[in-house]
Amino acid sequence: MKTVKGTRDLLPEDTYLFQQIEQRAWDHFAKYGFREIRTPIFEETSLFLRGIGDDTDIVTKEMYRFKDKGERDITLRPELTASVCRAVIQHNLVGAEDILRLMYSGPMFRYERPQAGRYRQFYQFGVEVFGSQDPLVDVETIEALMSFIAPFKLPNLELMLNSVGDETDRPAYLKYLRQTLNSKRELLCSDCQNRIDNNVLRVLDCKQSNCQSHLQDLQPISDFWSKENRDHFESVCSGLKRLDIPFKINPRLVRGLDYYTKTAFELVSGDLGAQSAVMGGGRYDRLIETLGGKDMPAFGWALGLDRLASLWSTYADPEPGPDLFLIFGQRQWLDTALPWIASLRRAGVSVAYDIRVRSFKSQMKRANRENASWAGIIGEDEHDQQTVALKNMQSSEQKSCKRSDVAATIKNKEIPC
Ligand code: AMP
């Protein structure tokens, strides 16, 4: 038996990276006032139909949709913004004067064509801010993202920024695109031909170079921006500049979900091949209303954990081994040492040993392989005297130590005995 196509097991070396990223994220975004929300893995399908948009790739091709035993139309969540909005409405989480900041992490499901960096079950960490249309929200939420990403020290990351307008100016641009692209219809790929009729904005980010070559002379959406949307975009740009956050304006940047208004942005990496987007997001001022809530502006983004972990795996420090690896001359000495080992663990020391108590040489090899900070050798003398020969694996310094001193010695990182 194997994992289903497009899914994968995250093995301990993978989960180590995921945990590190998530832990850093929880700590970092808590400082900005974000609090965690967990919503169900599956929702009523109508939430995604209304939220993401009937004509998007996600809704038309990629949903894991099924009837449950009660004949309910259910879909495994393909993203979390719609679910978080549903929760905000259902629990009335935002009062008139409030700004609400939520963060989440978990698996998403899309029936996409699997390839490197693209899975059918993948993981996202994301944030959402509800209750303000102030461009400062866009700026501070992008700043929070960039200062989270910076310590990973990843080269070749670029922040791409655009505005996709809103209901006041986007319809005119869509009309222009449809008219112009209809005249070139035969030159475009079959997907783009469909997009002209169903989701014309998505023609702009077609990955086929042939299509791209026919799009070069199109007017950018910025030519159609209303005064309000232009002002919003300029405020976001000047806010980012004030914070020394480098970005590139990409007039072709559109997003795969219909709900975006005004600011749209992506973080792309030159090291990821075709699936270059590490995260994406933007403003979605109409979504809460579309889903039956009140008129409430919002802003958010989602970071692909699979892609971030893959980029970071080249640079991350190796996973630390146990604090102490115990090496025993005889198996029964391990048995008598168990209460002491339990007390070490209670004192916060991570302890490993070879339960089979093989030869000294093979136990020592394993202490090295597991990258232990200390080896504790218990031969006949140490067993009789209730001591341990403690060896610092980095300096190779070794001394006999009372067992009751071991926890303090390891915590102080030196041998006092
Ligand atoms: P989206 O929700 O499409 O805006 O995606 C946000 C981020 O999630 C992307 O930038 C990717 O890093 C990640 N992502 C989206 N789809 C997949 C997938 N099928 N496999 C892996 N990561 C994905």
Side-chain angles (χ1 to χ4, degrees):
M1 297 283 278
K2 283 192 172 162
T3 46
V4 174
K5 184 173 178 187
T7 68
R8 61 178 181 148
D9 295 313
L10 294 175
L11 301 178
E13 57 268 32
D14 306 311
T15 52
Y16 173 69
L17 293 178
F18 272 61
Q19 281 174 9
Q20 294 284 307
I21 295 170
E22 282 182 308
Q23 198 49 56
R24 288 177 182 206
W26 297 133
D27 294 346
H28 178 82
F29 292 100
K31 291 189 206 124
Y32 289 77
F34 288 92
R35 297 173 71 216
E36 187 191 353
I37 184 164
R38 296 189 195 190
T39 62
I41 299 269
F42 52 86
E43 300 266 0
E44 275 179 27
T45 298
S46 56
L47 172 66
F48 303 117
L49 298 183
R50 277 163 73 186
I52 297 173
D54 288 350
D55 296 323
T56 56
D57 283 353
I58 293 181
V59 165
T60 53
K61 300 190 223 157
E62 298 170 2
M63 295 211 299
Y64 277 92
R65 180 175 181 178
F66 58 95
K67 283 261 162 71
D68 74 2
K69 288 188 176 147
E71 290 296 304
R72 290 176 200 88
D73 189 352
I74 300 289
T75 292
L76 301 186
R77 61 191 192 194
E79 55 103 54
L80 218 70
T81 301
S83 306
V84 175
C85 288
R86 194 252 324 118
V88 164
I89 299 167
Q90 182 173 338
H91 306 287
N92 199 14
L93 293 182
V94 189
E97 302 297 318
D98 286 353
I99 291 193
L100 176 70
R101 293 184 172 83
L102 297 173
M103 57 181 168
Y104 61 81
S105 185
M108 311 294 154
F109 305 86
R110 292 183 198 171
Y111 192 81
E112 291 191 89
R113 197 160 39 80
Q115 53 173 256
R118 189 157 74 189
Y119 306 98
R120 289 179 174 174
Q121 174 173 337
F122 59 97
Y123 295 81
Q124 288 184 337
F125 177 92
V127 307
E128 317 286 357
V129 182
F130 296 94
S132 170
Q133 39 185 334
D134 194 321
L136 180 59
V137 166
D138 311 29
V139 172
E140 61 174 33
T141 312
I142 295 176
E143 187 280 324
L145 166 75
M146 298 312 281
S147 58
F148 167 69
I149 288 286
F152 291 94
K153 296 197 167 61
L154 304 174
N156 296 328
L157 275 187
E158 209 165 22
L159 176 64
M160 302 284 193
L161 193 66
N162 194 17
S163 168
V164 293
D166 60 15
E167 70 281 1
T168 61
D169 48 11
R170 191 162 49 201
Y173 187 55
L174 300 184
K175 188 170 166 201
Y176 157 77
L177 280 183
R178 257 184 235 110
Q179 275 170 355
T180 317
L181 292 172
N182 251 327
S183 62
K184 307 176 183 225
R185 185 177 271 274
E186 307 310 321
L187 303 169
L188 303 175
C189 72
S190 60
D191 277 347
C192 279
Q193 294 187 12
N194 285 332
R195 288 177 188 131
I196 294 175
D197 303 320
N198 300 323
N199 196 354
V200 68
L201 216 48
R202 289 310 301 268
V203 174
L204 296 182
D205 72 348
C206 177
K207 300 285 181 287
Q208 308 251 358
S209 55
N210 176 53
C211 289
Q212 281 302 330
S213 70
H214 296 296
L215 305 176
Q216 292 309 320
D217 48 358
L218 286 177
Q219 278 181 260
I221 193 168
S222 49
D223 287 0
F224 293 74
W225 284 340
S226 66
K227 161 121 183 36
E228 192 199 325
N229 288 347
R230 182 175 300 279
D231 288 349
H232 187 99
F233 188 72
E234 282 166 5
S235 299
V236 174
C237 292
S238 59
L240 293 175
K241 282 186 194 144
R242 215 174 309 127
L243 289 164
D244 285 329
I245 295 172
F247 63 92
K248 196 167 153 186
I249 297 175
N250 178 356
R252 294 279 165 80
L253 175 71
V254 293
R255 310 272 304 119
L257 309 102
D258 273 359
Y259 52 64
Y260 285 105
T261 49
K262 299 184 187 169
T263 311
F265 66 106
E266 264 181 12
L267 203 53
V268 294
S269 162
D271 296 335
L272 275 175
Q275 298 307 313
S276 61
V278 183
M279 61 75 51
R283 184 162 272 288
Y284 51 96
D285 289 343
R286 296 279 158 264
L287 182 56
I288 291 268
E289 210 178 354
T290 307
L291 294 174
K294 46 195 173 199
D295 176 10
M296 190 193 298
F299 184 91
W301 51 253
L303 175 71
L305 294 181
D306 306 78
R307 294 185 194 169
L308 179 58
S310 142
L311 286 173
W312 190 42
S313 60
T314 325
Y315 307 99
D317 288 336
E319 188 173 352
D323 296 323
L324 175 64
F325 193 98
L326 289 173
I327 294 167
F328 294 92
Q330 286 189 30
R331 164 63 209 246
Q332 64 263 37
W333 299 343
L334 163 58
D335 292 333
T336 47
L338 280 179
W340 168 63
I341 294 173
S343 74
L344 284 176
R345 288 178 173 144
R346 279 197 301 275
V349 178
S350 57
V351 186
Y353 48 81
D354 175 4
I355 202 166
R356 277 164 288 210
V357 184
R358 281 172 290 200
S359 71
F360 177 83
K361 202 171 149 201
S362 90
Q363 291 182 71
M364 196 44 134
K365 251 194 192 161
R366 189 151 152 206
N368 270 310
R369 201 173 59 231
E370 290 201 9
N371 203 14
S373 307
W374 301 80
I377 301 154
I378 297 181
E380 193 148 14
D381 287 351
E382 288 81 10
H383 171 68
D384 291 345
Q385 294 157 22
Q386 288 298 291
T387 57
V388 53
L390 208 54
K391 179 178 177 185
N392 183 313
M393 298 295 273
Q394 224 171 18
S395 64
S396 290
E397 194 189 354
Q398 182 173 322
K399 277 196 179 155
S400 176
C401 198
K402 279 197 283 187
R403 291 198 187 172
S404 52
D405 288 342
V406 167
T409 302
I410 286 176
K411 281 194 183 142
N412 297 332
K413 298 195 165 70
E414 59 185 60
I415 299 184
C417 357

